[in-house]
PDB file of all heavy atoms in Angstrom:
ATOM      1  N   MET B   1      94.192  78.413 123.186  1.00  0.00           N
ATOM      2  CA  MET B   1      93.679  79.667 122.664  1.00  0.00           C
ATOM      3  C   MET B   1      94.092  79.819 121.229  1.00  0.00           C
ATOM      4  O   MET B   1      95.250  79.557 120.829  1.00  0.00           O
ATOM      5  CB  MET B   1      94.257  80.825 123.505  1.00  0.00           C
ATOM      6  CG  MET B   1      93.567  82.140 123.237  1.00  0.00           C
ATOM      7  SD  MET B   1      94.258  83.420 124.379  1.00  0.00           S
ATOM      8  CE  MET B   1      93.517  84.833 123.660  1.00  0.00           C
ATOM      9  N   ALA B   2      93.202  80.384 120.367  1.00  0.00           N
ATOM     10  CA  ALA B   2      93.532  80.584 118.973  1.00  0.00           C
ATOM     11  C   ALA B   2      94.640  81.546 118.772  1.00  0.00           C
ATOM     12  O   ALA B   2      94.839  82.464 119.592  1.00  0.00           O
ATOM     13  CB  ALA B   2      92.252  81.071 118.225  1.00  0.00           C
ATOM     14  N   GLY B   3      95.487  81.387 117.724  1.00  0.00           N
ATOM     15  CA  GLY B   3      96.562  82.339 117.385  1.00  0.00           C
ATOM     16  C   GLY B   3      95.969  83.663 116.971  1.00  0.00           C
ATOM     17  O   GLY B   3      94.760  83.752 116.661  1.00  0.00           O
ATOM     18  N   ILE B   4      96.866  84.617 116.871  1.00  0.00           N
ATOM     19  CA  ILE B   4      96.397  85.952 116.522  1.00  0.00           C
ATOM     20  C   ILE B   4      95.767  86.035 115.122  1.00  0.00           C
ATOM     21  O   ILE B   4      94.740  86.719 114.885  1.00  0.00           O
ATOM     22  CB  ILE B   4      97.484  87.037 116.671  1.00  0.00           C
ATOM     23  CG1 ILE B   4      97.000  88.469 116.534  1.00  0.00           C
ATOM     24  CG2 ILE B   4      98.677  86.752 115.721  1.00  0.00           C
ATOM     25  CD1 ILE B   4      96.103  88.918 117.585  1.00  0.00           C
ATOM     26  N   SER B   5      96.320  85.248 114.233  1.00  0.00           N
ATOM     27  CA  SER B   5      95.776  85.248 112.843  1.00  0.00           C
ATOM     28  C   SER B   5      94.359  84.719 112.846  1.00  0.00           C
ATOM     29  O   SER B   5      93.419  85.374 112.257  1.00  0.00           O
ATOM     30  CB  SER B   5      96.656  84.292 112.031  1.00  0.00           C
ATOM     31  OG  SER B   5      96.164  84.229 110.752  1.00  0.00           O
ATOM     32  N   GLU B   6      94.045  83.695 113.610  1.00  0.00           N
ATOM     33  CA  GLU B   6      92.668  83.144 113.731  1.00  0.00           C
ATOM     34  C   GLU B   6      91.767  84.115 114.404  1.00  0.00           C
ATOM     35  O   GLU B   6      90.599  84.318 114.022  1.00  0.00           O
ATOM     36  CB  GLU B   6      92.620  81.816 114.449  1.00  0.00           C
ATOM     37  CG  GLU B   6      93.190  80.622 113.707  1.00  0.00           C
ATOM     38  CD  GLU B   6      94.732  80.638 113.583  1.00  0.00           C
ATOM     39  OE1 GLU B   6      95.339  81.238 114.498  1.00  0.00           O
ATOM     40  OE2 GLU B   6      95.226  80.126 112.638  1.00  0.00           O
ATOM     41  N   GLN B   7      92.309  84.827 115.395  1.00  0.00           N
ATOM     42  CA  GLN B   7      91.478  85.761 116.109  1.00  0.00           C
ATOM     43  C   GLN B   7      91.106  86.968 115.287  1.00  0.00           C
ATOM     44  O   GLN B   7      89.958  87.386 115.261  1.00  0.00           O
ATOM     45  CB  GLN B   7      92.197  86.259 117.406  1.00  0.00           C
ATOM     46  CG  GLN B   7      92.326  85.166 118.504  1.00  0.00           C
ATOM     47  CD  GLN B   7      93.144  85.679 119.690  1.00  0.00           C
ATOM     48  OE1 GLN B   7      94.311  86.029 119.561  1.00  0.00           O
ATOM     49  NE2 GLN B   7      92.466  85.831 120.786  1.00  0.00           N
ATOM     50  N   LEU B   8      92.068  87.479 114.511  1.00  0.00           N
ATOM     51  CA  LEU B   8      91.766  88.576 113.561  1.00  0.00           C
ATOM     52  C   LEU B   8      90.721  88.139 112.545  1.00  0.00           C
ATOM     53  O   LEU B   8      89.821  88.970 112.170  1.00  0.00           O
ATOM     54  CB  LEU B   8      93.029  89.095 112.949  1.00  0.00           C
ATOM     55  CG  LEU B   8      94.045  89.748 113.863  1.00  0.00           C
ATOM     56  CD1 LEU B   8      95.296  90.198 113.110  1.00  0.00           C
ATOM     57  CD2 LEU B   8      93.419  90.949 114.572  1.00  0.00           C
ATOM     58  N   ARG B   9      90.837  86.930 112.071  1.00  0.00           N
ATOM     59  CA  ARG B   9      89.858  86.467 111.042  1.00  0.00           C
ATOM     60  C   ARG B   9      88.509  86.261 111.720  1.00  0.00           C
ATOM     61  O   ARG B   9      87.441  86.630 111.036  1.00  0.00           O
ATOM     62  CB  ARG B   9      90.329  85.047 110.472  1.00  0.00           C
ATOM     63  CG  ARG B   9      91.375  85.224 109.501  1.00  0.00           C
ATOM     64  CD  ARG B   9      91.938  83.815 109.102  1.00  0.00           C
ATOM     65  NE  ARG B   9      93.347  83.993 108.745  1.00  0.00           N
ATOM     66  CZ  ARG B   9      93.779  84.453 107.611  1.00  0.00           C
ATOM     67  NH1 ARG B   9      92.968  84.822 106.697  1.00  0.00           N
ATOM     68  NH2 ARG B   9      95.112  84.576 107.404  1.00  0.00           N
ATOM     69  N   ALA B  10      88.438  85.795 112.956  1.00  0.00           N
ATOM     70  CA  ALA B  10      87.199  85.600 113.643  1.00  0.00           C
ATOM     71  C   ALA B  10      86.483  86.975 113.863  1.00  0.00           C
ATOM     72  O   ALA B  10      85.288  87.086 113.691  1.00  0.00           O
ATOM     73  CB  ALA B  10      87.404  84.900 114.961  1.00  0.00           C
ATOM     74  N   ILE B  11      87.267  88.011 114.204  1.00  0.00           N
ATOM     75  CA  ILE B  11      86.681  89.297 114.464  1.00  0.00           C
ATOM     76  C   ILE B  11      86.051  89.770 113.111  1.00  0.00           C
ATOM     77  O   ILE B  11      84.937  90.269 113.061  1.00  0.00           O
ATOM     78  CB  ILE B  11      87.820  90.296 114.927  1.00  0.00           C
ATOM     79  CG1 ILE B  11      88.130  89.924 116.394  1.00  0.00           C
ATOM     80  CG2 ILE B  11      87.291  91.755 114.869  1.00  0.00           C
ATOM     81  CD1 ILE B  11      89.325  90.787 116.941  1.00  0.00           C
ATOM     82  N   LEU B 160      94.051  92.304 122.925  1.00  0.00           N
ATOM     83  CA  LEU B 160      94.876  91.764 121.816  1.00  0.00           C
ATOM     84  C   LEU B 160      96.135  92.610 121.614  1.00  0.00           C
ATOM     85  O   LEU B 160      97.119  92.242 120.979  1.00  0.00           O
ATOM     86  CB  LEU B 160      94.109  91.751 120.469  1.00  0.00           C
ATOM     87  CG  LEU B 160      92.929  90.730 120.549  1.00  0.00           C
ATOM     88  CD1 LEU B 160      92.041  90.971 119.277  1.00  0.00           C
ATOM     89  CD2 LEU B 160      93.482  89.331 120.489  1.00  0.00           C
ATOM     90  N   LEU B 173     100.474  94.204 113.196  1.00  0.00           N
ATOM     91  CA  LEU B 173      99.699  93.030 113.725  1.00  0.00           C
ATOM     92  C   LEU B 173      98.706  92.499 112.686  1.00  0.00           C
ATOM     93  O   LEU B 173      98.643  91.303 112.461  1.00  0.00           O
ATOM     94  CB  LEU B 173      98.866  93.558 114.962  1.00  0.00           C
ATOM     95  CG  LEU B 173      98.090  92.412 115.693  1.00  0.00           C
ATOM     96  CD1 LEU B 173      99.052  91.678 116.672  1.00  0.00           C
ATOM     97  CD2 LEU B 173      96.899  93.004 116.497  1.00  0.00           C
ATOM     98  N   HIS B 177      99.694  89.127 109.946  1.00  0.00           N
ATOM     99  CA  HIS B 177      98.861  87.929 110.253  1.00  0.00           C
ATOM    100  C   HIS B 177      97.772  87.741 109.324  1.00  0.00           C
ATOM    101  O   HIS B 177      96.921  86.796 109.493  1.00  0.00           O
ATOM    102  CB  HIS B 177      98.383  87.991 111.738  1.00  0.00           C
ATOM    103  CG  HIS B 177      99.461  87.913 112.701  1.00  0.00           C
ATOM    104  ND1 HIS B 177     100.059  89.016 113.345  1.00  0.00           N
ATOM    105  CD2 HIS B 177     100.112  86.771 113.212  1.00  0.00           C
ATOM    106  CE1 HIS B 177     101.015  88.611 114.127  1.00  0.00           C
ATOM    107  NE2 HIS B 177     101.080  87.317 114.090  1.00  0.00           N
ATOM    108  N   LEU B 178      97.539  88.555 108.354  1.00  0.00           N
ATOM    109  CA  LEU B 178      96.494  88.461 107.334  1.00  0.00           C
ATOM    110  C   LEU B 178      97.150  88.563 105.952  1.00  0.00           C
ATOM    111  O   LEU B 178      98.136  89.273 105.825  1.00  0.00           O
ATOM    112  CB  LEU B 178      95.440  89.547 107.539  1.00  0.00           C
ATOM    113  CG  LEU B 178      94.599  89.533 108.771  1.00  0.00           C
ATOM    114  CD1 LEU B 178      93.731  90.776 108.822  1.00  0.00           C
ATOM    115  CD2 LEU B 178      93.801  88.291 108.932  1.00  0.00           C
ATOM    116  N   PHE B 215      83.644  87.957 122.767  1.00  0.00           N
ATOM    117  CA  PHE B 215      84.817  87.468 121.989  1.00  0.00           C
ATOM    118  C   PHE B 215      86.082  87.427 122.911  1.00  0.00           C
ATOM    119  O   PHE B 215      86.365  88.297 123.593  1.00  0.00           O
ATOM    120  CB  PHE B 215      85.110  88.427 120.828  1.00  0.00           C
ATOM    121  CG  PHE B 215      86.319  87.982 119.945  1.00  0.00           C
ATOM    122  CD1 PHE B 215      86.130  86.994 118.959  1.00  0.00           C
ATOM    123  CD2 PHE B 215      87.578  88.480 120.245  1.00  0.00           C
ATOM    124  CE1 PHE B 215      87.213  86.523 118.258  1.00  0.00           C
ATOM    125  CE2 PHE B 215      88.630  88.085 119.483  1.00  0.00           C
ATOM    126  CZ  PHE B 215      88.482  87.076 118.485  1.00  0.00           C
TER     127      PHE B 215
END
Side-chain angles (χ1 to χ4, degrees):
M1 190 177 173
I4 188 70
S5 178
E6 288 73 27
Q7 288 179 296
L8 293 177
R9 282 171 212 285
I11 289 174
L160 292 170
L173 185 82
H177 295 96
L178 296 172
F215 180 83

